[in-house]
Protein backbone atom coordinates (compact mmCIF):
# COMPACT_ATOMS: atom_id res chain seq x y z
CA UNK A 1 0.00 0.00 0.00
CA UNK A 2 1.28 3.43 -0.89
CA UNK A 3 1.18 5.74 2.13
CA UNK A 4 -0.54 8.47 0.15
CA UNK A 5 -3.23 6.13 -1.05
CA UNK A 6 -6.45 7.67 0.30
CA UNK A 7 -8.16 4.33 1.03
CA UNK A 8 -5.33 3.23 3.29
CA UNK A 9 -5.56 6.52 5.16
CA UNK A 10 -9.26 5.91 5.84
CA UNK A 11 -8.46 2.67 7.61
CA UNK A 12 -5.81 4.39 9.69
CA UNK A 13 -8.37 7.08 10.54
CA UNK A 14 -10.99 4.68 11.89
CA UNK A 15 -8.38 2.63 13.76
CA UNK A 16 -6.95 5.71 15.39
CA UNK A 17 -10.00 7.89 15.98
CA UNK A 18 -12.98 5.52 15.68
CA UNK A 19 -16.05 6.00 13.50
CA UNK A 20 -17.00 4.22 10.29
CA UNK A 21 -15.28 4.17 6.88
CA UNK A 22 -18.50 5.31 5.19
CA UNK A 23 -18.37 8.65 7.04
CA UNK A 24 -15.03 9.55 5.52
CA UNK A 25 -14.17 12.18 2.92
CA UNK A 26 -10.98 11.67 0.94
CA UNK A 27 -8.95 14.08 -1.16
CA UNK A 28 -5.47 14.27 -2.58
CA UNK A 29 -3.07 16.79 -4.09
CA UNK A 30 0.19 16.44 -6.01
CA UNK A 31 3.69 17.76 -5.51
CA UNK A 32 5.18 19.88 -8.25
CA UNK A 33 8.38 20.72 -10.08
CA UNK A 34 9.06 24.03 -11.65
CA UNK A 35 10.54 23.78 -15.15
CA UNK A 36 11.21 27.50 -15.49
CA UNK A 37 10.80 30.52 -13.24
CA UNK A 38 13.00 30.28 -10.14
CA UNK A 39 12.14 32.85 -7.46
CA UNK A 40 10.01 34.85 -9.87
CA UNK A 41 6.67 34.07 -8.21
CA UNK A 42 7.02 36.36 -5.21
CA UNK A 43 8.21 39.06 -7.60
CA UNK A 44 4.82 38.99 -9.36
CA UNK A 45 6.45 37.32 -12.35
CA UNK A 46 6.02 34.27 -14.56
CA UNK A 47 6.48 30.56 -13.84
CA UNK A 48 6.16 27.30 -15.77
CA UNK A 49 5.61 24.39 -13.35
CA UNK A 50 4.05 20.93 -13.66
CA UNK A 51 2.20 18.86 -11.06
CA UNK A 52 3.77 15.41 -10.56
CA UNK A 53 2.51 11.94 -9.72
CA UNK A 54 3.58 12.05 -6.09
CA UNK A 55 0.68 12.96 -3.89
CA UNK A 56 -0.44 13.78 -0.39
CA UNK A 57 -3.70 12.15 0.62
CA UNK A 58 -6.06 13.10 3.41
CA UNK A 59 -8.93 11.23 4.99
CA UNK A 60 -11.26 13.28 7.16
CA UNK A 61 -14.34 12.66 9.24
CA UNK A 62 -16.33 15.52 10.74
CA UNK A 63 -16.97 15.27 14.47
CA UNK A 64 -20.00 13.11 15.02
CA UNK A 65 -23.16 15.13 15.44
CA UNK A 66 -25.52 15.19 18.41
CA UNK A 67 -27.08 11.83 17.49
CA UNK A 68 -24.13 10.19 19.18
CA UNK A 69 -24.36 12.40 22.21
CA UNK A 70 -21.62 14.69 20.92
CA UNK A 71 -21.60 18.42 21.27
CA UNK A 72 -22.65 19.68 17.81
CA UNK A 73 -20.56 22.80 18.26
CA UNK A 74 -17.39 20.84 18.97
CA UNK A 75 -14.56 22.54 17.10
CA UNK A 76 -11.80 20.19 18.11
CA UNK A 77 -9.49 18.99 15.35
CA UNK A 78 -7.29 15.93 15.68
CA UNK A 79 -4.84 15.33 12.87
CA UNK A 80 -2.37 12.53 12.41
CA UNK A 81 0.46 12.46 9.85
CA UNK A 82 1.68 9.04 8.78
CA UNK A 83 4.86 10.70 7.50
CA UNK A 84 5.73 12.42 10.76
CA UNK A 85 4.20 9.66 12.91
CA UNK A 86 2.52 12.16 15.20
CA UNK A 87 -0.98 13.31 16.19
CA UNK A 88 -1.71 16.96 17.02
CA UNK A 89 -4.85 18.56 18.39
CA UNK A 90 -6.14 22.10 18.07
CA UNK A 91 -9.42 23.94 18.29
CA UNK A 92 -10.93 26.01 15.49
CA UNK A 93 -11.87 28.53 18.17
CA UNK A 94 -8.37 29.64 19.22
CA UNK A 95 -5.01 29.44 17.42
CA UNK A 96 -2.28 27.27 18.92
CA UNK A 97 0.97 29.01 19.69
CA UNK A 98 3.29 26.00 19.41
CA UNK A 99 4.94 25.68 15.98
CA UNK A 100 4.64 22.35 14.18
CA UNK A 101 3.85 20.66 10.89
CA UNK A 102 0.17 20.87 11.84
CA UNK A 103 0.31 24.65 11.30
CA UNK A 104 -0.23 23.97 7.60
CA UNK A 105 -3.42 22.10 8.42
CA UNK A 106 -4.53 24.57 11.05
CA UNK A 107 -3.85 27.59 8.84
CA UNK A 108 -5.92 26.21 5.98
CA UNK A 109 -8.72 25.04 8.29
CA UNK A 110 -8.89 28.36 10.07
CA UNK A 111 -9.09 30.42 6.88
CA UNK A 112 -11.71 28.16 5.31
CA UNK A 113 -13.74 28.06 8.53
CA UNK A 114 -14.25 31.82 8.11
CA UNK A 115 -16.43 31.06 5.10
CA UNK A 116 -18.33 28.12 6.59
CA UNK A 117 -21.70 28.58 8.26
CA UNK A 118 -21.13 26.22 11.18
CA UNK A 119 -17.72 24.61 10.81
CA UNK A 120 -17.56 21.48 12.89
CA UNK A 121 -14.27 20.05 14.10
CA UNK A 122 -12.88 16.92 12.49
CA UNK A 123 -10.49 14.02 12.70
CA UNK A 124 -7.97 13.73 9.89
CA UNK A 125 -5.14 11.52 8.71
CA UNK A 126 -2.63 12.87 6.18
CA UNK A 127 0.14 11.04 4.42
CA UNK A 128 1.87 10.78 1.09
CA UNK A 129 4.96 10.25 -0.99
CA UNK A 130 6.03 13.84 -1.68
CA UNK A 131 9.39 14.16 0.10
CA UNK A 132 9.12 16.79 2.82
CA UNK A 133 11.35 19.83 2.53
CA UNK A 134 12.88 18.65 -0.75
CA UNK A 135 11.67 21.43 -3.02
CA UNK A 136 8.77 19.44 -4.53
CA UNK A 137 6.31 21.47 -2.48
CA UNK A 138 5.05 18.96 0.01
CA UNK A 139 3.74 22.00 1.89
CA UNK A 140 1.37 23.15 -0.87
CA UNK A 141 0.49 19.52 -1.53
CA UNK A 142 -0.57 19.09 2.10
CA UNK A 143 -2.43 22.41 2.12
CA UNK A 144 -4.43 21.69 -1.02
CA UNK A 145 -5.25 18.14 0.02
CA UNK A 146 -6.64 19.53 3.28
CA UNK A 147 -8.47 22.40 1.56
CA UNK A 148 -10.00 20.13 -1.09
CA UNK A 149 -11.34 17.81 1.61
CA UNK A 150 -12.68 20.61 3.84
CA UNK A 151 -14.33 22.24 0.82
CA UNK A 152 -16.50 19.10 0.73
CA UNK A 153 -16.85 18.56 4.47
CA UNK A 154 -18.04 22.11 5.08
CA UNK A 155 -19.83 22.35 1.74
CA UNK A 156 -18.05 25.55 0.70
CA UNK A 157 -18.32 25.13 -3.06
CA UNK A 158 -15.07 26.97 -3.72
CA UNK A 159 -13.36 26.58 -7.09
CA UNK A 160 -9.77 25.29 -7.15
CA UNK A 161 -8.19 28.71 -7.78
CA UNK A 162 -9.85 30.10 -4.67
CA UNK A 163 -8.69 27.14 -2.59
CA UNK A 164 -5.17 27.81 -3.90
CA UNK A 165 -5.47 31.40 -2.78
CA UNK A 166 -6.56 30.40 0.74
CA UNK A 167 -3.71 27.89 1.01
CA UNK A 168 -1.23 30.52 -0.13
CA UNK A 169 -2.52 32.90 2.54
CA UNK A 170 -2.34 30.11 5.13
CA UNK A 171 1.33 29.49 4.37
CA UNK A 172 2.12 33.18 4.58
CA UNK A 173 0.01 34.06 7.62
CA UNK A 174 0.25 30.91 9.73
CA UNK A 175 3.58 29.42 8.76
CA UNK A 176 5.31 32.72 8.04
CA UNK A 177 6.88 31.94 4.66
CA UNK A 178 6.71 34.88 2.26
CA UNK A 179 5.99 32.55 -0.63
CA UNK A 180 4.47 33.38 -3.99
CA UNK A 181 1.32 31.79 -5.39
CA UNK A 182 3.03 29.34 -7.76
CA UNK A 183 3.09 26.20 -5.62
CA UNK A 184 -0.50 26.35 -4.46
CA UNK A 185 -1.73 27.31 -7.89
CA UNK A 186 -0.16 24.49 -9.87
CA UNK A 187 -0.91 21.97 -7.14
CA UNK A 188 -4.58 22.98 -7.44
CA UNK A 189 -4.82 23.48 -11.20
CA UNK A 190 -2.21 21.20 -12.75
CA UNK A 191 -3.40 18.81 -15.44
CA UNK A 192 -2.16 15.52 -16.82
CA UNK A 193 0.50 16.02 -19.50
CA UNK A 194 0.20 19.80 -19.30
CA UNK A 195 2.65 22.40 -18.04
CA UNK A 196 1.09 25.50 -16.51
CA UNK A 197 2.33 28.91 -17.59
CA UNK A 198 1.19 31.30 -14.87
CA UNK A 199 1.29 35.04 -14.49
CA UNK A 200 1.66 35.35 -10.72
CA UNK A 201 0.35 38.92 -10.72
CA UNK A 202 -2.88 38.49 -12.64
CA UNK A 203 -3.15 34.73 -12.06
CA UNK A 204 -3.96 34.28 -15.71
CA UNK A 205 -2.65 31.01 -17.01
CA UNK A 206 -2.21 28.89 -20.08
CA UNK A 207 -1.62 25.15 -20.30
CA UNK A 208 0.87 23.63 -22.72
CA UNK A 209 1.05 20.02 -23.68
CA UNK A 210 4.21 18.26 -22.56
CA UNK A 211 6.24 16.17 -24.99
CA UNK A 212 5.47 12.41 -24.87
CA UNK A 213 9.06 11.56 -25.83
CA UNK A 214 10.52 13.42 -22.88
CA UNK A 215 10.23 12.59 -19.18
CA UNK A 216 10.66 14.74 -16.14
CA UNK A 217 13.28 13.13 -13.90
CA UNK A 218 13.84 14.32 -10.34
CA UNK A 219 17.08 13.80 -8.46
CA UNK A 220 16.75 14.33 -4.74
CA UNK A 221 20.24 15.12 -3.46
CA UNK A 222 19.02 14.19 0.02
CA UNK A 223 20.91 17.10 1.47
CA UNK A 224 19.31 20.13 3.07
CA UNK A 225 21.39 23.00 4.33
CA UNK A 226 20.25 25.00 7.32
CA UNK A 227 20.36 28.27 5.42
CA UNK A 228 17.20 27.78 3.49
CA UNK A 229 14.53 29.63 5.51
CA UNK A 230 16.59 32.67 6.45
CA UNK A 231 18.12 32.94 2.97
CA UNK A 232 14.68 32.77 1.37
CA UNK A 233 13.34 35.69 3.36
CA UNK A 234 16.61 37.55 2.76
CA UNK A 235 16.16 37.17 -1.01
CA UNK A 236 12.59 38.44 -0.70
CA UNK A 237 13.80 41.58 1.08
CA UNK A 238 16.68 42.12 -1.37
CA UNK A 239 14.16 42.09 -4.20
CA UNK A 240 12.05 44.58 -2.29
CA UNK A 241 15.09 46.84 -1.94
CA UNK A 242 15.69 46.63 -5.70
CA UNK A 243 12.07 47.64 -6.30
CA UNK A 244 12.44 50.74 -4.12
CA UNK A 245 15.64 51.85 -5.83
CA UNK A 246 14.37 51.19 -9.35
CA UNK A 247 11.09 52.92 -8.63
CA UNK A 248 13.15 56.04 -7.98
CA UNK A 249 15.56 55.73 -10.88
CA UNK A 250 13.19 54.58 -13.65
CA UNK A 251 10.52 56.80 -15.14
CA UNK A 252 7.77 54.13 -15.02
CA UNK A 253 6.30 52.97 -11.71
CA UNK A 254 7.94 49.86 -10.32
CA UNK A 255 5.67 47.99 -7.89
CA UNK A 256 7.58 44.71 -8.18
CA UNK A 257 10.48 43.35 -10.24
CA UNK A 258 7.89 42.09 -12.69
CA UNK A 259 7.59 45.69 -13.87
CA UNK A 260 11.26 45.92 -14.89
CA UNK A 261 12.15 44.97 -18.46
CA UNK A 262 15.59 43.76 -19.48
CA UNK A 263 16.23 47.10 -21.21
CA UNK A 264 15.21 49.07 -18.12
CA UNK A 265 17.37 46.90 -15.90
CA UNK A 266 20.38 47.41 -18.15
CA UNK A 267 19.79 51.15 -18.13
CA UNK A 268 19.39 51.46 -14.37
CA UNK A 269 21.58 48.70 -12.98
CA UNK A 270 24.36 51.15 -12.06
CA UNK A 271 22.10 52.57 -9.35
CA UNK A 272 21.87 49.21 -7.57
CA UNK A 273 24.38 48.00 -4.99
CA UNK A 274 26.27 44.82 -6.00
CA UNK A 275 24.32 42.07 -4.26
CA UNK A 276 20.91 43.60 -4.91
CA UNK A 277 21.92 44.09 -8.55
CA UNK A 278 22.71 40.39 -8.93
CA UNK A 279 19.40 39.33 -7.40
CA UNK A 280 17.54 41.73 -9.63
CA UNK A 281 19.42 40.64 -12.75
CA UNK A 282 18.41 37.05 -12.09
CA UNK A 283 14.72 37.88 -11.68
CA UNK A 284 14.49 40.20 -14.69
CA UNK A 285 16.19 37.75 -17.07
CA UNK A 286 14.39 34.78 -15.55
CA UNK A 287 11.02 36.31 -16.39
CA UNK A 288 12.21 36.58 -19.98
CA UNK A 289 13.32 32.95 -19.97
CA UNK A 290 9.95 31.77 -18.69
CA UNK A 291 8.12 33.57 -21.47
CA UNK A 292 10.51 32.21 -24.03
CA UNK A 293 10.09 28.70 -22.65
CA UNK A 294 6.30 28.98 -22.84
CA UNK A 295 6.61 29.98 -26.49
CA UNK A 296 9.01 27.08 -27.10
CA UNK A 297 6.55 24.68 -25.49
CA UNK A 298 3.78 25.96 -27.66
CA UNK A 299 5.83 25.31 -30.76
CA UNK A 300 6.99 21.92 -29.49
CA UNK A 301 10.64 22.96 -29.15
CA UNK A 302 11.51 20.98 -26.02
CA UNK A 303 15.22 21.23 -26.77
CA UNK A 304 15.01 25.00 -26.27
CA UNK A 305 13.10 24.52 -23.01
CA UNK A 306 15.98 22.35 -21.82
CA UNK A 307 18.59 24.94 -22.77
CA UNK A 308 16.69 27.60 -20.87
CA UNK A 309 16.57 25.34 -17.79
CA UNK A 310 20.37 25.15 -17.87
CA UNK A 311 20.57 28.94 -18.07
CA UNK A 312 18.16 29.20 -15.16
CA UNK A 313 20.35 26.95 -13.07
CA UNK A 314 23.47 28.97 -13.74
CA UNK A 315 21.64 32.18 -12.90
CA UNK A 316 20.30 30.74 -9.64
CA UNK A 317 23.82 29.56 -8.82
CA UNK A 318 25.80 32.68 -9.73
CA UNK A 319 23.39 35.61 -9.40
CA UNK A 320 20.74 34.52 -6.94
CA UNK A 321 23.22 32.33 -5.03
CA UNK A 322 20.73 29.73 -3.77
CA UNK A 323 22.38 26.56 -5.10
CA UNK A 324 24.90 24.33 -3.34
CA UNK A 325 27.71 21.95 -4.34
CA UNK A 326 25.49 18.88 -4.41
CA UNK A 327 22.86 20.49 -6.66
CA UNK A 328 25.57 21.85 -8.97
CA UNK A 329 27.21 18.44 -9.15
CA UNK A 330 23.96 16.75 -10.20
CA UNK A 331 23.26 19.38 -12.84
CA UNK A 332 26.80 19.20 -14.21
CA UNK A 333 26.71 15.40 -14.28
CA UNK A 334 23.31 15.33 -15.97
CA UNK A 335 24.53 17.77 -18.61
CA UNK A 336 27.27 15.36 -19.70
CA UNK A 337 24.67 12.69 -20.58
CA UNK A 338 23.27 12.48 -24.11
CA UNK A 339 19.74 11.73 -22.99
CA UNK A 340 19.50 14.96 -21.03
CA UNK A 341 17.85 18.06 -22.51
CA UNK A 342 18.17 20.38 -19.53
CA UNK A 343 18.50 20.45 -15.74
CA UNK A 344 18.11 22.87 -12.91
CA UNK A 345 17.62 22.99 -9.18
CA UNK A 346 13.99 23.33 -8.16
CA UNK A 347 12.46 24.82 -5.02
CA UNK A 348 13.95 27.33 -2.62
CA UNK A 349 17.51 25.95 -2.89
CA UNK A 350 20.49 24.97 -0.72
CA UNK A 351 19.69 21.32 -1.23
CA UNK A 352 16.66 19.31 -2.23
CA UNK A 353 15.99 18.36 -5.81
CA UNK A 354 17.21 18.83 -9.36
CA UNK A 355 14.71 18.48 -12.19
CA UNK A 356 15.88 17.23 -15.58
CA UNK A 357 14.20 16.72 -18.91
CA UNK A 358 15.33 13.35 -20.24
CA UNK A 359 14.56 11.41 -23.43
CA UNK A 360 11.87 8.89 -22.49
CA UNK A 361 13.75 5.92 -23.95
CA UNK A 362 16.85 6.60 -21.82
CA UNK A 363 15.47 7.32 -18.38
CA UNK A 364 16.96 4.25 -16.70
CA UNK A 365 20.55 4.65 -17.91
CA UNK A 366 20.30 8.36 -17.13
CA UNK A 367 19.15 7.67 -13.58
CA UNK A 368 21.83 5.06 -13.05
CA UNK A 369 24.61 7.32 -14.35
CA UNK A 370 23.55 10.22 -12.12
CA UNK A 371 23.17 7.95 -9.11
CA UNK A 372 26.58 6.31 -9.53
CA UNK A 373 28.40 9.59 -10.04
CA UNK A 374 26.66 11.25 -7.10
CA UNK A 375 27.42 8.41 -4.70
CA UNK A 376 31.06 8.40 -5.80
CA UNK A 377 31.34 12.16 -5.31
CA UNK A 378 29.42 12.64 -2.07
CA UNK A 379 28.99 9.24 -0.43
CA UNK A 380 25.26 10.05 -0.23
CA UNK A 381 22.59 7.91 -1.86
CA UNK A 382 20.32 10.12 -3.97
CA UNK A 383 16.75 9.30 -5.05
CA UNK A 384 16.48 9.53 -8.82
CA UNK A 385 12.97 8.99 -10.15
CA UNK A 386 10.96 9.79 -13.26
CA UNK A 387 7.70 11.66 -12.75
CA UNK A 388 4.57 11.69 -14.83
CA UNK A 389 2.95 15.08 -15.30
CA UNK A 390 -0.18 14.60 -13.21
CA UNK A 391 -3.43 16.30 -12.37
CA UNK A 392 -3.98 18.75 -9.55
CA UNK A 393 -5.88 18.37 -6.28
CA UNK A 394 -9.06 16.36 -6.38
CA UNK A 395 -11.81 14.83 -4.26
CA UNK A 396 -11.28 11.07 -4.13
CA UNK A 397 -14.36 9.97 -2.26
CA UNK A 398 -17.19 11.30 -0.11
CA UNK A 399 -19.84 9.66 2.04
CA UNK A 400 -22.74 8.59 -0.12
CA UNK A 401 -25.52 10.13 1.98
P1 LIG B 1 8.64 21.63 0.54
O1 LIG B 1 7.33 22.34 0.37
O2 LIG B 1 9.62 21.96 -0.52
O3 LIG B 1 8.50 20.16 0.70
P2 LIG B 1 8.57 23.15 2.97
O4 LIG B 1 9.59 23.43 4.01
O5 LIG B 1 7.90 24.28 2.32
O6 LIG B 1 9.26 22.19 1.89
O7 LIG B 1 7.44 22.24 3.60
C1 LIG B 1 7.76 21.06 4.28
C2 LIG B 1 6.99 20.98 5.57
O8 LIG B 1 5.57 20.77 5.27
C3 LIG B 1 7.37 19.80 6.42
O9 LIG B 1 8.49 20.09 7.21
C4 LIG B 1 6.11 19.61 7.25
O10 LIG B 1 6.05 20.54 8.29
C5 LIG B 1 5.01 19.95 6.26
N1 LIG B 1 4.48 18.75 5.60
C6 LIG B 1 4.45 18.48 4.29
N2 LIG B 1 3.89 17.27 4.03
C7 LIG B 1 3.54 16.76 5.22
C8 LIG B 1 2.94 15.52 5.65
N3 LIG B 1 2.57 14.58 4.78
N4 LIG B 1 2.74 15.36 6.97
C9 LIG B 1 3.10 16.31 7.86
N5 LIG B 1 3.69 17.45 7.52
C10 LIG B 1 3.92 17.70 6.23
MG1 LIG C 1 6.97 24.44 0.46
Amino acid sequence: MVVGEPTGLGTILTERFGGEEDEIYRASAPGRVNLLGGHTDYNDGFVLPVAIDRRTGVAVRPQADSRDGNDPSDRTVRVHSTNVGETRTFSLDSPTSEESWADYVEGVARLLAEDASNPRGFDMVVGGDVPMGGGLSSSASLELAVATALNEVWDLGKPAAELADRCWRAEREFVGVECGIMDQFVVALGERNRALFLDCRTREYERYRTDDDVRVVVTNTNVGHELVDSAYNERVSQCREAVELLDESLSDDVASLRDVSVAEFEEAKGTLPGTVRKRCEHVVYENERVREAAAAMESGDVRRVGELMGETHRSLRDLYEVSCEELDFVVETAETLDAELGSRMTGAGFGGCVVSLVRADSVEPFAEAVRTAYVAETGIEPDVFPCAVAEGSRVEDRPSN
Side-chain angles (χ1 to χ4, degrees), residues 63-368:
Q63 298 290 3
D65 60 26
S66 44
R67 270 178 314 191
D68 308 306
N70 273 26
D71 174 1
S73 62
D74 190 347
R75 306 214 199 266
T76 305
V77 174
R78 293 184 291 182
V79 56
H80 178 81
S81 166
T82 60
N83 300 102
V84 181
E86 191 180 73
T87 303
R88 316 268 323 181
T89 303
F90 61 90
S91 164
L92 291 171
D93 292 326
S94 52
T96 37
S97 50
E98 202 184 329
E99 283 183 19
S100 86
W101 60 269
D103 292 349
Y104 295 89
V105 179
E106 184 177 339
V108 171
R110 213 167 268 298
L111 282 180
L112 289 180
E114 287 175 8
D115 294 333
S117 56
N118 181 23
R120 227 187 281 162
F122 54 85
D123 291 329
M124 178 181 268
V125 174
V126 308
D129 58 4
V130 185
M132 291 192 285
L136 303 184
S137 205
S138 68
S139 59
S141 178
L142 173 60
E143 289 153 9
L144 262 306
V146 170
T148 304
L150 293 181
N151 198 34
E152 294 296 309
V153 172
W154 290 338
D155 199 19
L156 302 173
K158 289 187 188 300
E162 201 178 324
L163 295 179
D165 178 78
R166 293 301 189 283
C167 290
W168 170 69
R169 276 181 50 200
E171 186 150 344
R172 294 174 68 93
E173 292 169 21
F174 288 85
V175 186
V177 183
E178 296 192 63
C179 58
I181 187 69
M182 168 176 72
D183 292 355
Q184 289 79 12
F185 207 89
V186 66
V187 165
L189 285 137
E191 268 183 16
R192 235 177 127 237
N193 298 332
R194 297 283 186 284
L196 191 98
F197 173 64
L198 172 67
D199 180 335
C200 294
R201 172 175 277 168
T202 63
R203 299 191 184 173
E204 286 168 332
Y205 60 92
E206 194 81 51
R207 294 189 176 98
Y208 294 109
R209 208 179 172 353
T210 51
D211 190 320
D212 291 339
D213 297 329
V214 172
R215 294 298 298 274
V216 172
V217 178
V218 169
T219 302
N220 190 345
T221 60
N222 287 327
V223 297
H225 298 288
E226 289 297 306
L227 277 166
V228 61
D229 287 341
S230 58
Y232 186 88
N233 286 336
E234 184 189 71
R235 297 299 181 281
V236 174
S237 64
Q238 287 165 336
C239 290
R240 215 170 274 144
E241 192 182 334
V243 166
E244 276 168 30
L245 293 167
L246 291 171
D247 192 40
E248 277 173 29
S249 58
L250 289 170
S251 49
D252 290 339
D253 281 353
V254 178
S256 69
L257 289 182
R258 150 67 178 278
D259 296 316
V260 182
S261 68
V262 165
E264 285 171 325
F265 168 76
E266 291 299 334
E267 172 200 323
K269 67 183 181 188
T271 63
L272 300 174
T275 303
V276 170
R277 180 165 65 221
K278 283 201 284 188
R279 308 298 187 243
C280 183
E281 181 173 346
H282 165 74
V283 174
V284 167
Y285 279 88
E286 182 72 358
N287 274 324
E288 277 303 299
R289 277 189 288 272
V290 183
R291 279 185 283 202
E292 196 189 333
M297 279 214 130
E298 191 167 25
S299 63
D301 187 358
V302 67
R303 186 187 287 274
R304 182 67 190 139
V305 178
E307 281 169 10
L308 289 163
M309 287 168 70
E311 285 176 27
T312 288
H313 185 77
R314 285 180 282 283
S315 182
L316 288 168
R317 181 190 67 195
D318 301 335
L319 296 174
Y320 221 64
E321 298 178 287
V322 289
S323 190
C324 64
E325 279 177 14
E326 293 87 352
L327 289 166
D328 292 341
F329 181 80
V330 171
V331 170
E332 281 155 27
T333 303
E335 283 177 339
T336 64
L337 302 169
D338 286 344
E340 189 254 17
L341 295 157
S343 297
R344 55 161 290 201
M345 52 160 284
T346 186
F350 303 106
C353 295
V354 167
V355 52
S356 302
L357 294 182
V358 179
R359 294 198 188 287
D361 59 7
S362 308
V363 166
E364 272 177 39
F366 171 87
E368 192 46 37

